[in-house]
Amino acid sequence: MTAPVTGPVEQAKAAIEYCYAQGWTDGLPVVPATSADIEACLATTDADGAEVIGSVPHLGRSVTVAQAAANAIMAGCQPDYFPIVLAAWQAVRQERASRGAWQSTSGPAPLIVVNGPVRARLGINSRGGVFGPGFRANMTIPRAIGLIVRNGFGVRPQQLEQATQGLPGRWSICLGENEEMSPWPPLSVVGGVPAGSDAVSAMLIRTCEYVDNRSTDSAEAVLHDFADSLARIGAYVGGPHSSGGLVLGPEHAQLLGNAGYSRSDVQQWLFEHAVRSRAEMIAAGKGEHTGPAEDGTAEDGDQPFALMPAAADIPILVAGAANAAMSMVFRPFGWAAWSGKSVPVAYRTSAEKVH
Amino acid sequence: MFDSIIDPTVSQANPTEYDRLVLAARPESLSGLRLGLLANTKRNAEQFLDEVGQLLAGQHGMQVVLAMKKPDITSTAPELTLAELSAECDVVVIGVGDCGSCSASAVADGILLEQAGTPSAVIVTEAFTVSADAMAELRGAPRYRYVTVPHPVANLTPDGVRSRAAQARSAIVGLLTEPAMAVSA
């Protein structure tokens, strides 16, 4: 027997089903957005609702601030997350790799990193289980980005989106950096935003892979372990190099910090050691761009091929709990790991706003 | 009942509504006509189009007058590139759409050239017809036709590219000369 749509709970469920029927969801239920919700989001920002914050000329689609607000609400965001959503959207958009990403067979996911006091204010997790789930802001902010792409740009899986497999966690990776347990300045400082202010950084990634090393107190041994993962041939797609970055667990970060390594020391070490021989690249059918000869002859087969683009292009941040020595290697999409630019979060400054 | 729910797909920025596509008039024969090639940056795309150019020159008396490469696989070709192709060429062959974004943008290039009055044939690999069709529908040409070739093209040897181009030749000629073939009924 189907219950009549009479009570508030039945009506709420019917509204969710209505959104499914319109094709507006990513497969999970969405929160239906109303004009009051849009107003509540717009109240958090100086941005005008009609302002265009992204367009895809070849698809003839543009996205406005108000539209972003509707999708943020649908994703489950509270209105006071909206400045973070806007900053995350800008951070994603400014990454060169995002231009073709949404239609790409590689199906990359935004990796969104939040720095600053807003982490505590909005409950953005930076500690245990940081890759989620379990924390509303961490789950809903990246989901908002995904719904904006789907509903705003009209890029849907198996249509204009052609991801071959995609990756686990697409549209759900948002980390607070564990600044409190990091031996180094926040990622957002690397990204050009002063310490202590709220900022969002974004990359597009193709996967994450863990490095579990609780076996040594040697900084160099742990670095070797990271370099081995960074140099994985499977992540190399041809061309000049691969790409990789690290979300260090606090234990690994502190081991390195206590051994005197700065962030850039770690980057340099990894750049120098994340190499494969040409012979190994050729054996995997990927020798084409690794040097002058194609045949892996003895003369040049031992020559090293650096998998990382440059030391500075190995983004490193710290997140997670200090309860076990494990870290995550992530794989930026494309050949440009990260623009190196963080986006300051812009909050509403004036009481009055002209619409 | 749910009129108060905001439609998240509607932009106040008024997304572009494309006019329904009217295809360019087709020549009866390709003989003596000027051929343009528009490649993307995918591996083997230029080689494939070069083979097509040689076949159309050798077997259909065409002359390859422009071979261009667009800088960005995701977007349509720059306006100047399309204008030049349209001005200098009688027909254009475009390709190769063998990735998620480039198949769609190749179709968009073809449609833009048709709108500029230049008959075009777009090459898309079989893996990306859905993406190509989605772009065609978006651009007001829901039954737009293109040439499909087996996927992939990027990993072919030079001989493989040559034979794949030879397989596609008659379909390309058909799309460029027979209006009925260019849009399916």
Side-chain angles (χ1 to χ4, degrees), chain A residues 49-71:
Chain A
E51 183 187 335
V52 173
I53 51 170
S55 58
V56 189
H58 67 279
L59 301 179
R61 297 287 290 247
S62 297
V63 171
T64 61
V65 170
Q67 209 177 356
N71 284 286

Side-chain angles (χ1 to χ4, degrees), chain A residues 33 58-60 67 103 151 158, chain B residues 6 8-9 11 16 100 130 138-139:
Chain A
H58 67 279
L59 301 179
Q67 209 177 356
Q103 293 168 257
N151 293 322
Q158 297 183 4
Chain B
I6 302 288
T9 66
S11 169
T16 311
V130 175
L138 185 80
R139 293 267 177 171

Side-chain angles (χ1 to χ4, degrees), chain A residues 34 36 135 199 244 259 280 282 304 336:
Chain A
T34 65
F135 299 86
E280 286 177 293
I282 291 165

Side-chain angles (χ1 to χ4, degrees), chain B residues 115-131:
Chain B
Q115 286 165 338
T118 307
S120 302
V122 177
I123 319 288
V124 174
T125 69
E126 284 163 353
F128 293 104
T129 56
V130 175
S131 180

Side-chain angles (χ1 to χ4, degrees), chain A residues 58-327:
Chain A
H58 67 279
L59 301 179
R61 297 287 290 247
S62 297
V63 171
T64 61
V65 170
Q67 209 177 356
N71 284 286
I73 292 295
M74 290 171 65
C77 291
Q78 295 194 316
D80 58 354
Y81 301 175
F82 192 53
I84 308 292
V85 172
L86 288 179
W89 177 251
Q90 186 185 334
V92 168
R93 291 279 296 163
Q94 77 182 10
E95 294 303 312
R96 192 173 184 282
S98 75
R99 290 192 304 161
W102 314 136
Q103 293 168 257
S104 170
T105 47
S106 48
L111 163 66
I112 295 165
V113 181
V114 182
N115 284 104
V118 70
R119 292 168 302 140
R121 189 165 60 77
L122 296 183
I124 296 172
N125 184 28
S126 60
R127 294 170 295 176
V130 71
F131 277 89
F135 299 86
R136 181 173 180 173
N138 298 66
M139 290 299 282
T140 58
I141 289 167
R143 189 185 183 206
I145 303 299
L147 288 178
I148 294 170
V149 170
R150 178 188 179 90
N151 293 322
F153 286 164
V155 178
R156 298 175 176 196
Q158 297 183 4
Q159 297 173 21
L160 285 169
E161 192 238 86
Q162 285 288 304
T164 304
Q165 294 185 310
L167 71 150
R170 196 180 195 199
W171 312 128
S172 65
I173 308 173
C174 173
L175 318 175
E177 185 169 23
N178 192 338
E179 298 175 24
E180 293 71 18
M181 303 192 83
S182 170
W184 306 309
L187 182 73
S188 52
V189 171
V190 178
V193 178
S197 34
D198 297 333
V200 179
S201 314
M203 288 159 245
L204 287 154
I205 63 168
R206 294 190 60 175
T207 196
C208 295
E209 48 200 303
Y210 70 90
V211 177
D212 189 322
N213 190 327
R214 319 177 216 190
S215 313
T216 177
D217 60 0
S218 158
E220 289 74 25
V222 169
L223 286 168
H224 264 293
D225 208 353
F226 294 150
D228 176 67
S229 283
L230 284 170
R232 188 171 67 84
I233 294 174
Y236 172 76
V237 295
H241 47 70
S242 180
S243 65
L246 286 172
V247 177
L248 292 175
E251 287 196 16
H252 281 157
Q254 289 172 11
L255 174 67
L256 295 168
N258 290 337
Y261 283 89
S262 68
R263 179 188 261 118
S264 57
D265 292 337
V266 172
Q267 291 171 314
Q268 185 63 38
W269 202 101
L270 294 172
F271 172 65
E272 288 169 8
H273 290 79
V275 297
R276 293 280 186 167
S277 71
R278 289 205 58 225
E280 286 177 293
M281 302 303 290
I282 291 165
K286 291 179 168 179
E288 186 175 5
H289 298 282
T290 62
E294 288 291 314
D295 57 0
T297 48
E299 299 89 84
D300 64 4
D302 292 331
Q303 283 181 8
F305 175 71
L307 269 304
M308 294 295 105
D313 288 334
I314 306 172
I316 294 176
L317 62 138
V318 179
N323 57 6
M326 52 184 85
S327 294

